[in-house]
Amino acid sequence: MNLGFDLTFYETTAVKTKKLAVITGWMGAQPKQLRPYVNFYLSRGFNVLSYAVGPQHVLKPESATAMVTKVLDICLRSQGISMGSNFAAPREIITHSFSVGGYLTGQLLRVLDSADRAEDRQRMHELVKGQVYDSPPDMGSIAKGIGASVGKGDLLASVVENAIALYLFAVKDTAGKEHRASSAAFHDNHLPAPSLWMYSQADPVALEQDIDTVMNKWKAKGYQVHGCRWEHTKHIQHGRADPERYFSSVGTFIDKHTD
């Protein structure tokens, strides 16, 4: 099952911009579904790097690690993708991650923790000016999240969810270790950049209490943490259901934390 899409670069009309937005789509997202978010950043003078993963990247954590390593090399060394003529090495990066993007952030943090990435870690601390998270679930919601992204209809979603739950139980001592390590890295995020969280009380995948737990941990570390909560919106649907509030909040956030 190979859902999602590979890294795609979008170039703003601004000349030689030093701003880059890295958009990590939800599981199985397609480019046209992320286009409103891409266009938002392009209109604000950002180049955009966008991608989305499929269930295979979650079920096989080494695939997720390979993907975020590729993203890291593009951000820091402009390697691995064809850039436009106006591309310049970024001096400011905003990350905008949907759903499973929280898991991928955990994998990225782990890559940066490796001994041979000390310089990269310091550079990312300097470059990342803001982190936006839209509906990030914790590891306990992996099966439900895959079921929701793959299953079309409640019955199929339930079948997929149960199958994935059985698989995760079977690999709890192999791939499960990676999932737990990624979750721990995300909870203990060493990137000090301010964050904005977009989430809903009614989301059955990205649970409000799980998000509040991570937000409070980051606040305790002295990080700037901003929340934008809805009462009734569905998983990753806040921007579609309430675009005025959603994009206004993101716009205010990036204006505050970038030049």
Side-chain angles (χ1 to χ4, degrees):
M1 189 177 299
N2 187 22
L3 301 174
F5 65 95
D6 203 1
L7 293 156
T8 305
F9 179 74
Y10 300 88
E11 187 177 17
T12 184
T13 55
V15 178
K16 296 293 183 183
T17 181
K18 298 288 188 178
K19 298 181 179 182
L20 178 68
V22 180
I23 299 178
T24 304
W26 55 89
M27 189 179 296
Q30 294 301 305
K32 66 179 182 181
Q33 295 174 304
L34 292 179
R35 193 70 207 210
Y37 308 94
V38 170
N39 289 343
F40 170 79
Y41 282 101
L42 291 175
S43 71
R44 302 182 78 91
F46 283 77
N47 287 327
V48 178
L49 184 65
S50 180
Y51 70 103
V53 301
Q56 69 276 12
H57 291 87
V58 177
L59 301 179
K60 297 181 177 180
E62 63 273 15
S63 298
T65 300
M67 176 63 82
V68 297
T69 299
K70 189 174 180 180
V71 171
L72 184 63
D73 287 337
I74 291 171
C75 290
L76 296 180
R77 284 172 279 277
S78 305
Q79 297 176 350
I81 193 170
S82 177
M83 302 296 187
S85 58
N86 283 338
F87 179 79
R91 292 182 180 173
E92 297 182 299
I93 295 174
I94 294 289
T95 63
H96 194 137
S97 304
F98 294 86
S99 192
V100 72
Y103 161 69
L104 292 165
T105 298
Q107 292 297 84
L108 175 63
L109 294 168
R110 295 179 66 208
V111 170
L112 290 172
D113 275 337
S114 59
D116 60 343
R117 291 279 186 169
E119 291 185 9
D120 289 349
R121 172 173 167 146
Q122 180 59 38
R123 189 65 180 136
M124 287 298 283
H125 280 212
E126 296 168 354
L127 291 175
V128 177
K129 304 302 182 183
Q131 309 169 73
V132 181
Y133 295 101
D134 184 326
S135 313
D138 211 340
M139 61 172 293
S141 297
I142 290 175
K144 184 175 286 293
I146 294 178
S149 67
V150 176
K152 302 300 182 183
D154 292 342
L155 179 59
L156 182 55
S158 178
V159 170
V160 172
E161 178 183 342
N162 289 335
I164 296 299
L166 288 172
Y167 171 82
L168 292 173
F169 178 79
V171 301
K172 65 181 185 299
D173 295 324
T174 52
K177 290 183 178 180
E178 291 289 306
H179 296 144
R180 291 190 291 274
S182 177
S183 176
F186 187 65
H187 278 245
D188 192 41
N189 185 5
H190 58 67
L191 282 175
S195 61
L196 173 63
W197 297 70
M198 324 293 278
Y199 62 112
S200 172
Q201 293 176 298
D203 191 338
V205 178
L207 303 180
E208 178 187 15
Q209 59 267 34
D210 290 344
I211 291 175
D212 286 341
T213 294
V214 181
M215 290 174 64
N216 287 332
K217 286 183 178 181
W218 291 10
K219 289 176 182 177
K221 291 167 70 73
Y223 297 169
Q224 294 185 50
V225 178
H226 310 274
C228 190
R229 183 179 63 187
W230 284 263
E231 292 185 5
H232 305 297
T233 50
K234 297 180 180 180
H235 186 60
I236 61 170
Q237 295 299 315
H238 324 308
R240 178 180 293 181
D242 190 2
E244 182 175 354
R245 182 185 178 199
Y246 188 98
F247 289 107
S248 174
S249 297
V250 177
T252 298
F253 175 77
I254 63 176
D255 286 346
K256 180 178 181 180
H257 298 295
T258 61
D259 293 333

